[in-house]
Amino acid sequence: MIILIFITLKKMYKYSMASLTKAEMLSWLKTEDRSELEKLYEKAYAVKLANTGKVVHFRGIIEFSNVCSKNCYYCGIRKDNKNVKRYSMEAKNILKAAKFALEAGYGSVVLQSGERADKVFVALIEKLLKDLNAMSSGKLGITLSLGEQSEATYKKWFAAGAKRYLLRIETSNPGLYAKLHPGDHEFGARLACLKLLKKTGYQVGTGVMIGLPFQTCEDLADDLAFFKKNDIDMLGMGPYIPHAETPLNAYAGNFDKKKNLRLGLTMIALARLSMPDINIAATTALQALDPKGRELGLLAGANIIMPNLTPTEYRAGYKLYDNKPCLDENAEMCLHCLEKRITALDEKIGYNSEGTSKHYLKRTKSGRVLKIPASKIDSKISI
Ligand code: SAH
Ligand code: SF4
């Protein structure tokens, strides 16, 4: 028994201390050897188990508007795509979708939309946050994914009850960033926003697209170093997938589905090894490349899934990339499908828990913890 405990502790120590040099990361990103990669994913999964447990947390995502003031070259809902029918959900319907999440025990939601920074929008979100918190008595962790905003806006939304923010840097290479965006979209401005978010007190999430045109394995290894250097709490990265009505689609001829899936999984595994206690999402874009993409993401070290709560009637209008899955499903169908997929992996779902990033808790020692009756807490869920 004592020997067993010693071996387990030694393993946990080894896994939690796992740190890879840039050269090692690069070599993993370049390898196509499936059996070697399987070993890497297994190791990352063991690190996930040792650090965040055998539990997957849900973040119900509500894509409440596709109105966007920006023109990112890769994105299907960019302002200049005139083929998109624009929508903005009414506040009461956003609240209804969030209520579904609360009642299903998701513990947290993500509010995502195209980018708007006008006064009407800022006030609308502020009011929505207050209503959401009142509706859930503060029991729903709220993540915003609403792009670049001023410090005043970030502060206003934080005060109104948003405690997490997801803002992908898209790529940590400023030169590549410039190739993917028009001249008025600045890498420095996006980076400054990430710093403001942390200063305001948010749990900060970022991420990149993987397999972009012009992107090299060196860029991806630098992205991993960027996450670590910026001491992030959450990671939501996923494969790049072309959208036919975007400027970047001119390079779609080079799009390699298998490669982007492999790189997506390898990035998750390497991120888990270098940042054992952060929350890492297995994003929907993985599933667009492989029906089991999200499960594979979990097995490579991710611990978060973002079930889609967007009402079915709006889903087709929120196509950031082509072949986005589950467009004809509703929130209930997504839940049942995910429950099946996750229990098939022998993982538990962290119901009724906000699933706060352990890294954030350690970083601040004051993370909000949802109080729930002991009877409803799975003994393996530590948050
Ligand atoms: N407007 C906000 C949030 C919505 S877009 C923002 O830009 O931050 C959310 C994410 O979708 C972006 O950060 C981007 O990484 C991703 N995305 C957009 N187009 C994509 C594509 N073609 N393939 C994969 N991901 C894409
Ligand atoms: Fe707008 Fe975000 Fe798409 Fe850029 S990635 S065009 S900001 S929705």
Side-chain angles (χ1 to χ4, degrees), residues 3 41 74-75 97 127 173 292 300 307 383:
I3 292 174
Y41 302 159
Y74 42 84
C75 177
K127 163 107 176 51
N173 176 341
K292 290 212 160 177
I383 292 175

Side-chain angles (χ1 to χ4, degrees), residues 221-354:
D222 286 341
D223 291 341
L224 291 160
F226 174 92
F227 305 146
K228 182 121 179 151
K229 184 175 160 222
N230 285 280
D231 198 23
I232 57 152
D233 305 307
M234 318 183 290
L235 191 55
M237 55 185 177
Y240 160 72
I241 302 170
H243 185 293
E245 288 148 2
T246 59
L248 212 63
N249 195 53
Y251 304 93
N254 300 328
F255 177 61
D256 182 342
K257 208 168 147 175
K258 270 195 181 154
K259 182 177 166 203
N260 282 11
L261 178 68
R262 186 190 73 234
L263 284 174
L265 299 175
T266 304
M267 283 291 281
I268 289 178
L270 293 174
R272 175 59 72 203
L273 290 170
S274 68
M275 291 165 287
D277 58 359
I278 64 167
N279 279 341
I280 304 181
T283 54
T284 313
L286 285 171
Q287 197 188 336
L289 298 185
D290 183 302
K292 290 212 160 177
R294 283 192 292 189
E295 288 95 310
L296 294 173
L298 292 175
L299 293 173
N303 66 324
I304 303 288
I305 291 266
M306 293 158 78
N308 197 339
L309 296 180
T310 312
T312 318
E313 63 201 280
Y314 299 117
R315 290 192 186 191
Y318 203 83
K319 267 173 60 187
L320 306 177
Y321 48 82
D322 287 331
N323 302 317
K324 195 169 171 221
C326 313
L327 291 187
D328 54 355
E329 294 185 3
N330 61 33
E332 211 143 320
M333 287 155 86
C334 284
L335 172 61
H336 294 316
C337 155
L338 278 169
E339 263 177 347
K340 258 201 238 155
R341 285 164 181 255
I342 289 164
T343 38
L345 299 179
D346 196 27
E347 288 262 332
K348 289 249 161 27
I349 298 168
Y351 282 124
N352 296 309
S353 157
E354 286 183 60

Side-chain angles (χ1 to χ4, degrees), residues 68-72 74-79 113-115 170 185 318 320:
C68 188
S69 60
K70 294 187 106 178
N71 252 322
C72 307
Y74 42 84
C75 177
I77 63 168
R78 62 198 299 274
K79 183 175 78 178
S113 74
E115 189 173 307
E170 315 296 3
H185 296 34
Y318 203 83
L320 306 177

